[in-house]
């Protein structure tokens, strides 16, 4: 009964992390800014770290099932 919320949270974090990682890669590849008003390298790095962290939390949630 308690695995339902863990699965839901894992899916949400995994989808968010994957989407953020793909979006960041596409923006960086086209030379477009990832965040306005911030250095391109710093914003791409921070967005990538946030995406990897979200994927990690998603995997952790799946491990709790």
């Amino acid at each position: 009964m308690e695995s339902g919320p863990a699965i839901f949270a894992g899916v949400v974090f995994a989808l968010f992390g994957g989407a953020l990682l793909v979006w960041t890669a596409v923006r960086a590849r086209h030379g477009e800014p990832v965040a306005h008003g911030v250095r391109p390298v710093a914003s791409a790095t921070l967005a990538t770290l946030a995406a990897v962290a979200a994927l990690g939390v998603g995997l952790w949630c799946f491990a709790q099932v």
Side-chain angles (χ1 to χ4, degrees), residues 14-59:
L15 286 175
F16 174 74
L20 182 59
L21 195 59
V22 168
W23 181 80
T24 302
V26 168
R27 298 286 288 188
R29 180 168 288 195
H30 288 119
E32 298 173 355
V34 176
H36 293 288
V38 183
R39 293 184 303 174
V41 174
S43 63
T45 302
L46 184 61
T48 301
L49 289 174
V52 170
L55 286 171
V57 171
L59 289 174

